[in-house]
């Protein structure tokens, strides 16, 4: 009996020792925090991040950390699965939308005005991909997710991807309604008036840590900060309002206040880790899901600037994919150290497994590598990393659908099918001497372009990447309409023939939009059209005015009388604008068919000499 009790005691002691030896994992992921948004790299005089510096003093700061995508959901999926968005097909942040798509698809053709075919991204993190949380959960870890998810609602929520706890159990792209309560989460409410969601998420994460202090935990604290909607604590906005330099590219007091709330709650977690005695056995990762936002507007400016990097969130320039990164690994990583190793978001799965002395599941594929050698101050042997973004977001400094390969200091950017003959365009940059990607070296380094392009080809082939195809129906003359500001709905095809615009309608309410550049002054205006239709047609005209939202609101609507088919008609639609007109939307009210447009002209009756013509100049 004594021998049996002794055996049981030793067994439990062994289990307890194993639990103590297994490190806790805390993964802090910021949302839209750019490389120049912290004090870690010396690129900001406004934002204050002392707690990120405190974190960096405990571990290693990475100077060249990248995300697999310049937008949030694809990067988040790459962290959790170790798989590149090029492989999973999850390449856009559409995971909050109703349609469930689990296989990326590129169309075979498009209307003549489009150089590339359409492309549909995966919209959910498919449960067939094993996640970090599932792997650690299977090894006896208690797992929890706090904050932003944006990879799908049930049955694609954190609870179906290996997390025991998910708070606030929200699938949207940002906090529901606002950062400062009252919130609009369906089942999650504030504890007190004006509670900040980041404060609450940190409190919930700390409560979880306290409840599970004696067992290994895998904890995601994925902050909502600093994504839209842009609001913050009033006291912090007031604080930063007094510090603004109007000449600085970073001059939004609201955004600066949001950065401080992010940083404050990193500090709150560090305080709890220390208080609970967890510091010596807890791995901490801090990362961001993409570069800083340079296209929304807040406080009369953009949220931030990624200078000296080019571009930002939503494009494949380095401003969209280069991010702040710190990793703390007590006893293994030199405190306060820095690394110039090239790392990316697909590296975390194999890295964290090795750090925790765990093996991957049988036959598991990773598109990243373990960066443990870099963490130990050794050379990281790797050939390349890749970014992949088969979309064009129309953000400032936008790019068409593209991919990029990084080798050492070199970056090769591929713009899919962008040459005149439909082949890929390549641009080459030496980031060591040209961090702002201004000097295309492709003409000077043809052999390097060929070698890196071949490696990119191999990557796209290996991952089975789906991206837009070259449109066999592409007509460059029709494409010129788009360059002049013409847009059309997907059921409205444009084509230029004999100096006329041919419009083929496949829907019952197709429309075109025309950009008015420069804007036409306010007052009494008239839209004149000369057109011919193969069916009885009427026109709804909506227009947008400078500084007035929403665009094309229904109180800015004029209708034309119906006109018969099969003859040319001169149509005039008079209207009055309170502000300068910046664009027009023309809806064709008729069954599917064809309309030929000979001319479109917009003029202010008081100044007819300033008329704009949209078919012929």
């Amino acid at each position: 009996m004594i021998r049996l009790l002794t055996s049981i005691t030793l067994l439990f002691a062994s289990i307890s020792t194993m639990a103590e030896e297994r490190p806790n994992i805390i993964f802090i992921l910021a949302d839209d925090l750019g490389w120049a948004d912290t004090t870690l790299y010396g690129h900001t005089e406004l934002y204050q991040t002392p707690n990120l510096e405190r974190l960096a003093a405990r571990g290693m700061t990475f100077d060249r950390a990248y995300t697999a995508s310049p937008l949030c959901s694809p990067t988040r999926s790459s962290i959790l699965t170790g798989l590149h968005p090029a492989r999973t097909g999850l390449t856009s942040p559409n995971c909050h939308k109703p349609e469930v798509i689990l296989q990326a698809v590129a169309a075979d053709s498009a209307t003549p005005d489009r150089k590339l075919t359409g492309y549909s991204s995966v919209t959910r993190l498919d449960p067939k991909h094993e996640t970090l949380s599932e792997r650690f959960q299977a090894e006896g870890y208690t797992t929890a997710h706090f904050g932003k998810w944006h990879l799908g609602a049930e049955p694609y929520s954190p609870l179906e991807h290996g997390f025991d706890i998910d708070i606030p159990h929200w699938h949207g792209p940002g906090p529901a309604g606002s950062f400062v309560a009252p919130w609009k989460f369906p089942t999650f409410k504030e504890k007190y008036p004006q509670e900040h969601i980041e404060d609450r998420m940190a409190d919930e994460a700390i409560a979880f840590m306290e409840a599970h202090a004696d067992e290994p935990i895998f904890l995601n604290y994925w902050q909502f900060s600093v994504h839209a909607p842009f609001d913050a604590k009033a006291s912090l906005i007031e604080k930063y309002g007094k510090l603004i330099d109007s000449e600085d590219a970073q001059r939004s007091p609201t955004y600066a206040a949001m950065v401080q709330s992010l940083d404050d709650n990193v500090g709150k977690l560090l305080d709890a880790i220390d208080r609970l005695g967890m510091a010596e056995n807890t791995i901490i990762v801090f990362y961001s899901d993409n570069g800083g936002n340079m296209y929304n507007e807040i406080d009369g400016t953009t949220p931030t600037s990624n200078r000296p990097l080019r571009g930002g969130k939503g494009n494949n320039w380095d401003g969209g994919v280069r991010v702040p990164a710190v990793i703390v690994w007590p006893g293994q990583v030199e405190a306060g150290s820095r690394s110039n190793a090239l790392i990316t978001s697909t590296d975390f799965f194999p890295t964290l497994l090795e750090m925790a002395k765990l093996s991957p599941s049988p036959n598991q594929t990773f598109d990243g590598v373990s960066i443990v050698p870099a963490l130990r101050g050794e050379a990281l042997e790797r050939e390349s990393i890749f970014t992949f973004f088969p979309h064009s977001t129309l953000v400032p400094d936008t790019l068409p659908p593209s991919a990029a390969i990084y080798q050492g200091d070199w970056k090769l950017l591929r713009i899919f099918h962008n040459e005149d003959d439909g082949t890929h365009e390549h641009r080459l940059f030496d980031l060591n001497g040209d961090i702002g990607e201004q000097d295309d070296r492709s003409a000077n380094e043809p052999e390097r372009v060929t070698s890196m392009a071949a490696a990119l080809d191999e990557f796209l082939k290996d991952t089975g990447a789906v991206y837009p195809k070259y449109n066999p129906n592409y007509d460059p003359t029709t494409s010129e309409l788009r360059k002049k500001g013409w847009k059309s709905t997907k059921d409205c095809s444009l084509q230029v023939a004999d100096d006329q615009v041919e419009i083929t309608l496949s829907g019952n309410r197709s429309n075109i939009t025309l950009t008015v550049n420069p804007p036409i002054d306010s007052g009494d205006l008239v839209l004149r059209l000369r057109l011919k239709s193969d069916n009885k047609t009427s026109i709804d005209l909506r227009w947008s005015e400078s500084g007035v939202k929403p665009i094309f609101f229904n109180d800015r609507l004029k209708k034309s009388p119906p006109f018969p088919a099969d003859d040319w008609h001169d149509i005039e639609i008079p209207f009055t604008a309170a502000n300068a007109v910046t664009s027009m939307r023309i809806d064709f009210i008729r069954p599917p068919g064809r309309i030929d447009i000979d001319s479109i002209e917009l003029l202010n009756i008081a100044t007819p000499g300033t008329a704009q013509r949209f078919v012929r100049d």
Side-chain angles (χ1 to χ4, degrees):
M1 182 64 177
I2 294 175
R3 183 178 298 174
L4 177 59
L5 289 173
T6 301
S7 300
I8 294 174
T9 300
L10 290 173
L11 175 61
F12 278 101
S14 174
I15 294 174
S16 177
T17 300
M18 289 174 58
E20 289 176 5
E21 290 176 349
R22 289 186 290 179
N24 301 302
I25 313 291
I26 296 180
F27 200 119
I28 307 172
L29 184 67
D31 192 6
D32 289 1
L33 187 74
W35 187 64
D37 285 352
T38 77
T39 51
L40 296 175
Y41 303 98
H43 303 307
T44 179
E45 296 181 359
L46 176 62
Y47 308 145
Q48 298 176 14
T49 55
N51 290 298
L52 289 180
E53 292 189 23
R54 180 181 161 199
L55 182 71
R58 301 184 181 203
M60 179 174 285
T61 301
F62 285 85
D63 292 331
R64 295 198 301 161
Y66 285 85
T67 57
S69 166
L71 285 178
C72 58
S73 299
T75 295
R76 291 162 186 269
S77 72
S78 71
I79 289 170
L80 282 172
T81 65
L83 301 176
H84 206 281
R87 188 180 299 277
T88 63
L90 204 166
T91 59
S92 70
N94 291 333
C95 297
H96 58 291
K97 295 186 176 180
E99 187 176 11
V100 176
I101 301 174
L102 298 179
Q103 178 65 51
V105 177
D108 292 324
S109 63
T111 55
D113 55 305
R114 300 178 186 273
K115 195 170 189 178
L116 301 183
T117 65
Y119 170 84
S120 297
S121 165
V122 167
T123 64
R124 301 291 188 273
L125 179 56
D126 196 326
K128 72 180 182 182
H129 304 304
E130 185 180 36
T131 61
L132 259 171
S133 41
E134 287 173 322
R135 189 75 196 91
F136 277 90
Q137 190 182 55
E139 293 290 340
Y141 277 69
T142 303
T143 58
H145 179 90
F146 300 96
K148 177 168 173 172
W149 176 246
H150 206 199
L151 292 169
E154 294 181 4
Y156 305 96
S157 80
L159 299 179
E160 288 82 40
H161 284 288
F163 288 100
D164 301 310
I165 296 170
D166 175 32
I167 297 174
H169 196 56
W170 175 241
H171 62 282
S178 63
F179 279 85
V180 179
W183 307 316
K184 296 181 180 179
F185 297 105
T187 60
F188 187 73
K189 304 302 177 186
E190 61 271 16
K191 288 185 175 180
Y192 54 86
Q194 302 295 299
E195 185 177 20
H196 193 284
I197 188 62
E198 222 57 85
D199 293 344
R200 179 65 176 278
M201 288 299 95
D203 289 344
E204 295 286 351
I206 290 167
F208 170 80
M209 291 159 55
E210 291 171 340
H212 300 278
D214 296 326
E215 56 189 286
I217 61 170
F218 180 92
L219 188 160
N220 267 4
Y221 173 32
W222 284 13
Q223 297 184 321
F224 288 108
S225 300
V226 285
H227 192 282
F230 300 104
D231 68 73
K233 297 176 181 179
S235 60
L236 293 182
I237 296 175
E238 181 180 3
K239 168 187 172 179
Y240 286 100
K242 299 173 182 177
L243 303 176
I244 295 299
D245 177 357
S246 61
E247 300 300 316
D248 197 318
Q250 293 175 327
R251 56 182 182 270
S252 166
T254 301
Y255 190 84
M258 296 173 74
V259 171
Q260 178 168 333
S261 286
L262 177 154
D263 185 76
D264 285 346
N265 285 288
V266 171
K268 189 187 293 185
L269 249 66
L270 290 179
D271 290 342
I273 290 168
D274 293 344
R275 173 172 55 82
L276 295 170
M278 297 171 57
E280 295 304 313
N281 195 38
T282 298
I283 294 166
I284 307 172
V285 176
F286 178 84
Y287 220 68
S288 181
D289 61 0
N290 51 249
N293 182 328
M294 292 181 64
Y295 62 85
N296 284 129
E297 182 178 332
I298 181 66
D299 300 329
T301 183
T302 55
T304 193
S305 169
N306 296 299
R307 79 304 169 68
L309 305 180
R310 182 173 180 178
K313 173 183 177 180
N315 63 44
N316 243 338
W317 300 114
D318 261 30
V321 292
R322 191 167 178 172
V323 294
V326 177
I327 299 178
V328 175
W329 188 12
Q332 301 289 332
V333 168
E334 181 184 353
S337 58
R338 299 187 80 96
S339 173
N340 199 42
L342 198 59
I343 69 169
T344 186
S345 53
T346 55
D347 294 337
F348 287 112
F349 203 144
T351 300
L352 289 172
L353 286 183
E354 183 173 353
M355 293 166 82
K357 299 180 181 179
L358 299 177
S359 300
S361 296
N363 303 317
Q364 189 163 10
T365 296
F366 293 127
D367 290 314
V369 302
S370 171
I371 63 169
V372 164
L375 289 167
R376 289 179 170 151
E378 303 166 4
L380 180 61
E381 301 295 335
R382 78 178 322 156
E383 290 291 327
S384 314
I385 66 168
F386 303 88
T387 64
F388 179 71
F389 193 58
H391 307 274
S392 185
T393 55
L394 302 181
V395 300
D397 215 353
T398 191
L399 285 165
S402 62
I405 175 175
Y406 295 76
Q407 290 182 345
D409 292 324
W410 293 92
K411 173 181 179 178
L412 182 75
L413 180 66
R414 169 176 294 180
I415 304 176
F416 292 118
H417 307 297
N418 205 49
E419 298 288 6
D420 291 340
D421 61 357
T423 56
H424 303 314
E425 177 188 355
H426 290 104
R427 303 180 192 177
L428 181 69
F429 302 98
D430 178 2
L431 298 178
N432 184 47
D434 179 27
I435 196 172
E437 297 173 274
Q438 298 296 321
D439 182 15
D440 178 7
R441 304 280 297 163
S442 58
N444 306 86
E445 301 270 356
E447 292 182 0
R448 190 181 300 276
V449 170
T450 299
S451 173
M452 293 180 72
L456 180 55
D457 286 335
E458 184 62 29
F459 165 78
L460 296 173
K461 179 181 178 181
D462 176 68
T463 56
V466 178
Y467 50 88
K469 303 174 184 177
Y470 183 75
N471 177 21
N473 301 326
Y474 174 61
D475 179 353
T477 60
T478 301
S479 181
E480 287 300 313
L481 290 176
R482 291 197 172 273
K483 294 180 181 179
K484 294 178 180 179
W486 286 63
K487 297 179 183 178
S488 62
T489 52
K490 63 181 179 180
D491 53 1
C492 185
S493 169
L494 306 176
Q495 188 168 353
V496 177
D498 300 325
D499 289 331
Q500 295 172 358
V501 178
E502 298 176 359
I503 302 179
T504 303
L505 311 172
S506 58
N508 290 325
R509 196 180 178 92
S510 305
N511 68 66
I512 59 173
T513 301
L514 306 175
T515 300
V516 182
N517 187 22
I520 293 285
D521 288 341
S522 61
D524 294 325
L525 287 80
V526 62
L527 177 69
R528 293 173 176 167
L529 307 95
R530 178 171 173 79
L531 49 76
K532 180 171 65 174
S533 173
D534 64 359
N535 208 316
K536 182 179 178 180
T537 303
S538 63
I539 289 173
D540 283 359
L541 169 66
R542 292 174 172 82
W543 66 94
S544 63
E545 299 181 8
S546 178
V548 180
K549 295 182 179 181
I551 297 175
F552 304 130
F553 196 62
N554 282 334
D555 64 2
R556 299 194 294 279
L557 168 65
K558 290 290 181 179
K559 297 176 177 289
S560 77
F563 51 90
D566 298 328
D567 202 358
W568 287 100
H569 298 276
D570 292 302
I571 308 296
E572 288 196 355
I573 306 177
F575 64 100
T576 300
N579 304 277
V581 174
T582 56
S583 60
M584 300 180 296
R585 193 180 97 183
I586 300 171
D587 290 68
F588 302 104
I589 316 303
R590 47 151 297 150
R594 174 173 161 173
I595 293 176
D596 295 329
I597 298 181
D598 183 63
S599 65
I600 300 179
E601 181 182 63
L602 176 67
L603 59 90
N604 185 308
I605 294 174
T607 56
T610 62
Q612 284 193 41
R613 296 172 177 83
F614 296 91
V615 177
R616 302 185 186 91
D617 293 329

